[in-house]
Amino acid sequence: IDKDALDAQVKERKIQEAAEKAEHERFAHDMKKNDKLMCLLEERQKNEIKDMNRALTEFHKNFQKPETRREFDLNDPQALKKDRPARVSDDDPRCTISGMQKFMGEDLNYDQRMKFQKEQLREWFLQQQKDSKNALADQKLADDLYDKFRIELDRKIMEEQRKEEESRRAVCTATKNFNRIQAAELDHKNELEKAQKIKDDMDEITCLLRGDFLSENPDQAIGPWGKHNVLVNRWKGMNQEQRMAIREFQKEQALEKQRVREQERRRDAEWDRQRLQAARAQLLWERHQQRQNQEQRRDLDATNAGLSQEQKAKNIYLKEEEYSNIPTEEFYAQFNTTTR
């Protein structure tokens, strides 16, 4: 008997029973909680229904009284006291065609109506006469006021025209005097400008004749910031020494450029040689790496083959030696026979 296995099974069984018991207790606790919550919800629903019925009763009592219904006049106990005669007058709105209280052609208020119409016509005629008289008086007053306004307006227009004519004559006189003064000042100014222009022209001609520009002085083309800064509008060209210096400088530049090209050619050739060497070394290293990978693959295949043979031998041993005994009914009958 494997006592350790039995103890482990008993321990697992106890753990399982404890877990099931805890699960049942948790379910029982949740059921009690849900029952209590359901009771509270039912009580709350009953209270809400009771409050709703109470509010509905109050609403019917306050806003839906019997006297507000359409059919209350059929069951009103005070109907006879509130009832009116079938016809009060000829203008009673209840005297409809189906009521048979008033027929087409009957003019029951003829005398009163004719009297009222005559009185109304007389009042209208008197009012029309009064309005006509008032209109004539208003028209006459308006015509008088319009004539007075036109006369006064014409007088003001004539006065304005006279004042405008006087001001125009004064303006013309002042403008003529101002133009005369301006013409005299302009003539004097032109004479002064002409004399000044003649003087400036003579000074300029004298300066050009005596200056460095016409005399072709090479120093007059040097700028204020040094001899290398040339004033283009005064420069007459380079001398022989300056041309020779420029040619020498150009030759030096050509030699320098040729030297730089030779250095670049040598540097490119060196870079090409180094790239070829690096490519050759990379190719050799890749071939060496492939050979190593092939050797490692062969070793790994040999190792896997050996492990496979060992695994097969182990399985054959387990199948033929370890697992050859088949348990009988007596082996299974020894379990769960005690209170342990």
Side-chain angles (χ1 to χ4, degrees), residues 87-101:
R87 178 177 179 180
V88 179
S89 63
D90 292 338
D91 297 331
D92 193 349
R94 294 179 299 166
C95 294
T96 59
I97 296 175
S98 62
M100 301 295 288
Q101 296 292 325

Side-chain angles (χ1 to χ4, degrees), residues 168-184:
R168 187 182 294 111
R169 284 197 295 268
V171 169
C172 290
T173 304
T175 304
K176 188 183 294 183
N177 295 330
F178 179 76
N179 291 335
R180 188 182 300 110
I181 294 171
Q182 287 290 101

Side-chain angles (χ1 to χ4, degrees), residues 175-310:
T175 304
K176 188 183 294 183
N177 295 330
F178 179 76
N179 291 335
R180 188 182 300 110
I181 294 171
Q182 287 290 101
E185 291 180 355
L186 185 60
D187 293 337
H188 181 66
K189 183 178 180 181
N190 291 332
E191 291 178 357
L192 292 177
E193 290 180 353
K194 185 176 181 181
Q196 184 66 31
K197 186 174 182 304
I198 293 172
K199 183 177 180 299
D200 293 339
D201 292 340
M202 294 301 295
D203 293 340
E204 185 178 359
I205 292 170
T206 304
C207 181
L208 290 174
L209 292 174
R210 297 178 180 178
D212 295 333
F213 185 74
L214 295 178
S215 62
E216 297 184 357
N217 186 7
D219 296 334
Q220 54 92 26
I222 299 175
W225 295 282
K227 64 179 181 178
H228 296 290
N229 186 7
V230 179
L231 300 177
V232 181
N233 58 346
R234 300 181 184 179
W235 190 53
K236 296 298 181 178
M238 295 183 294
N239 52 22
Q240 189 65 23
E241 295 178 357
Q242 292 176 344
R243 293 193 186 94
M244 292 299 296
I246 290 174
R247 291 192 184 96
E248 292 294 333
F249 184 73
Q250 289 177 350
K251 291 179 181 180
E252 292 178 359
Q253 284 182 340
L255 294 175
E256 181 65 22
K257 190 173 183 180
Q258 186 177 1
R259 185 180 60 80
V260 170
R261 288 179 179 175
E262 184 65 22
Q263 290 180 356
E264 290 179 354
R265 187 183 63 78
R266 293 177 181 176
R267 185 169 58 253
D268 294 339
E270 182 65 22
W271 276 109
D272 293 338
R273 187 180 62 80
Q274 291 181 3
R275 281 197 297 271
L276 290 174
Q277 291 180 357
R280 189 179 294 106
Q282 180 68 22
L283 181 61
L284 294 175
W285 182 82
E286 289 178 356
R287 291 178 179 175
H288 177 69
Q289 191 69 23
Q290 290 178 359
R291 287 194 296 271
Q292 288 183 352
N293 292 334
Q294 291 176 357
E295 292 177 358
Q296 291 177 359
R297 184 66 182 178
R298 286 194 295 269
D299 296 340
L300 182 62
D301 292 341
T303 304
N304 291 333
L307 292 175
S308 177
Q309 293 295 330
E310 292 178 0

